[in-house]
Amino acid sequence: MANKNKNNQVLVERETYEKDGNTYFSHVVKGVIRGKEVKATVVPHDVGGYAILDIVFGDAMTAELVLKPYEIKDEKTKKTVKGNSYAVRSVDTETGEVLECPVKPFRSSDKTILGMITG
């Protein structure tokens, strides 16, 4: 079971950490799988994405995790690969504008945990 809001959406949480005297955010999805608390770290696709994540989160410490299913067919082998890409999304309460930043699991184990949480 994932950390969800009242609309049953999976949430990405900001967690602070210190490095070299500076404070930074990590972005995690928390859940419970078979009674064990787990968390998966997500990161933007490039370094510039951290500024976009700051915009998406604004002053909030949580935002919605959005799954975007994809399907790619290899024309040579005729095999179809299916999966999910992910994004962090929020809605500006004043304007109604949807703000979104694509993210990816930090490690392969994070990808596995995300699959279990969002399953």
PDB file of all heavy atoms in Angstrom, residues 2-11:
ATOM      1  N   ALA A   2       0.604   2.198  -0.865  1.00  0.00           N
ATOM      2  CA  ALA A   2       1.407   3.406  -1.005  1.00  0.00           C
ATOM      3  C   ALA A   2       0.860   4.527  -0.142  1.00  0.00           C
ATOM      4  O   ALA A   2      -0.291   4.499   0.290  1.00  0.00           O
ATOM      5  CB  ALA A   2       1.417   3.853  -2.462  1.00  0.00           C
ATOM      6  N   ASN A   3       1.704   5.515   0.087  1.00  0.00           N
ATOM      7  CA  ASN A   3       1.266   6.732   0.742  1.00  0.00           C
ATOM      8  C   ASN A   3       0.389   7.475  -0.264  1.00  0.00           C
ATOM      9  O   ASN A   3       0.847   7.887  -1.317  1.00  0.00           O
ATOM     10  CB  ASN A   3       2.474   7.576   1.138  1.00  0.00           C
ATOM     11  CG  ASN A   3       2.098   8.832   1.883  1.00  0.00           C
ATOM     12  OD1 ASN A   3       0.961   8.999   2.315  1.00  0.00           O
ATOM     13  ND2 ASN A   3       3.060   9.714   2.037  1.00  0.00           N
ATOM     14  N   LYS A   4      -0.912   7.604   0.056  1.00  0.00           N
ATOM     15  CA  LYS A   4      -1.862   8.210  -0.876  1.00  0.00           C
ATOM     16  C   LYS A   4      -2.578   9.378  -0.223  1.00  0.00           C
ATOM     17  O   LYS A   4      -2.694   9.461   0.988  1.00  0.00           O
ATOM     18  CB  LYS A   4      -2.895   7.171  -1.340  1.00  0.00           C
ATOM     19  CG  LYS A   4      -2.280   6.020  -2.111  1.00  0.00           C
ATOM     20  CD  LYS A   4      -3.323   5.055  -2.606  1.00  0.00           C
ATOM     21  CE  LYS A   4      -2.673   3.944  -3.416  1.00  0.00           C
ATOM     22  NZ  LYS A   4      -3.664   3.045  -3.991  1.00  0.00           N
ATOM     23  N   ASN A   5      -3.097  10.279  -1.073  1.00  0.00           N
ATOM     24  CA  ASN A   5      -3.897  11.385  -0.554  1.00  0.00           C
ATOM     25  C   ASN A   5      -5.366  10.979  -0.543  1.00  0.00           C
ATOM     26  O   ASN A   5      -5.723   9.841  -0.844  1.00  0.00           O
ATOM     27  CB  ASN A   5      -3.653  12.664  -1.363  1.00  0.00           C
ATOM     28  CG  ASN A   5      -4.132  12.578  -2.804  1.00  0.00           C
ATOM     29  OD1 ASN A   5      -4.803  11.635  -3.202  1.00  0.00           O
ATOM     30  ND2 ASN A   5      -3.773  13.562  -3.594  1.00  0.00           N
ATOM     31  N   LYS A   6      -6.245  11.915  -0.201  1.00  0.00           N
ATOM     32  CA  LYS A   6      -7.672  11.602  -0.077  1.00  0.00           C
ATOM     33  C   LYS A   6      -8.310  11.179  -1.400  1.00  0.00           C
ATOM     34  O   LYS A   6      -9.348  10.544  -1.420  1.00  0.00           O
ATOM     35  CB  LYS A   6      -8.424  12.787   0.533  1.00  0.00           C
ATOM     36  CG  LYS A   6      -8.392  14.030  -0.331  1.00  0.00           C
ATOM     37  CD  LYS A   6      -9.056  15.211   0.331  1.00  0.00           C
ATOM     38  CE  LYS A   6      -8.923  16.425  -0.570  1.00  0.00           C
ATOM     39  NZ  LYS A   6      -9.225  17.647   0.083  1.00  0.00           N
ATOM     40  N   ASN A   7      -7.693  11.543  -2.532  1.00  0.00           N
ATOM     41  CA  ASN A   7      -8.210  11.148  -3.850  1.00  0.00           C
ATOM     42  C   ASN A   7      -7.605   9.834  -4.330  1.00  0.00           C
ATOM     43  O   ASN A   7      -7.702   9.500  -5.500  1.00  0.00           O
ATOM     44  CB  ASN A   7      -7.932  12.252  -4.875  1.00  0.00           C
ATOM     45  CG  ASN A   7      -8.637  13.529  -4.530  1.00  0.00           C
ATOM     46  OD1 ASN A   7      -9.745  13.517  -4.002  1.00  0.00           O
ATOM     47  ND2 ASN A   7      -7.996  14.662  -4.793  1.00  0.00           N
ATOM     48  N   ASN A   8      -6.922   9.112  -3.415  1.00  0.00           N
ATOM     49  CA  ASN A   8      -6.319   7.820  -3.717  1.00  0.00           C
ATOM     50  C   ASN A   8      -5.168   7.920  -4.721  1.00  0.00           C
ATOM     51  O   ASN A   8      -4.875   6.977  -5.442  1.00  0.00           O
ATOM     52  CB  ASN A   8      -7.376   6.819  -4.197  1.00  0.00           C
ATOM     53  CG  ASN A   8      -7.041   5.405  -3.763  1.00  0.00           C
ATOM     54  OD1 ASN A   8      -6.395   5.206  -2.738  1.00  0.00           O
ATOM     55  ND2 ASN A   8      -7.468   4.438  -4.543  1.00  0.00           N
ATOM     56  N   GLN A   9      -4.517   9.081  -4.774  1.00  0.00           N
ATOM     57  CA  GLN A   9      -3.371   9.278  -5.652  1.00  0.00           C
ATOM     58  C   GLN A   9      -2.095   8.931  -4.885  1.00  0.00           C
ATOM     59  O   GLN A   9      -1.964   9.246  -3.709  1.00  0.00           O
ATOM     60  CB  GLN A   9      -3.299  10.739  -6.117  1.00  0.00           C
ATOM     61  CG  GLN A   9      -4.499  11.170  -6.930  1.00  0.00           C
ATOM     62  CD  GLN A   9      -4.567  12.675  -7.076  1.00  0.00           C
ATOM     63  OE1 GLN A   9      -4.233  13.426  -6.163  1.00  0.00           O
ATOM     64  NE2 GLN A   9      -5.034  13.126  -8.226  1.00  0.00           N
ATOM     65  N   VAL A  10      -1.139   8.296  -5.561  1.00  0.00           N
ATOM     66  CA  VAL A  10       0.154   7.991  -4.956  1.00  0.00           C
ATOM     67  C   VAL A  10       0.938   9.298  -4.853  1.00  0.00           C
ATOM     68  O   VAL A  10       0.984  10.085  -5.801  1.00  0.00           O
ATOM     69  CB  VAL A  10       0.926   6.952  -5.793  1.00  0.00           C
ATOM     70  CG1 VAL A  10       2.311   6.715  -5.218  1.00  0.00           C
ATOM     71  CG2 VAL A  10       0.146   5.646  -5.876  1.00  0.00           C
ATOM     72  N   LEU A  11       1.566   9.516  -3.696  1.00  0.00           N
ATOM     73  CA  LEU A  11       2.269  10.767  -3.448  1.00  0.00           C
ATOM     74  C   LEU A  11       3.784  10.607  -3.503  1.00  0.00           C
ATOM     75  O   LEU A  11       4.328   9.586  -3.098  1.00  0.00           O
ATOM     76  CB  LEU A  11       1.887  11.323  -2.077  1.00  0.00           C
ATOM     77  CG  LEU A  11       0.421  11.687  -1.892  1.00  0.00           C
ATOM     78  CD1 LEU A  11       0.179  12.175  -0.468  1.00  0.00           C
ATOM     79  CD2 LEU A  11      -0.012  12.742  -2.901  1.00  0.00           C
TER      80      LEU A  11
END
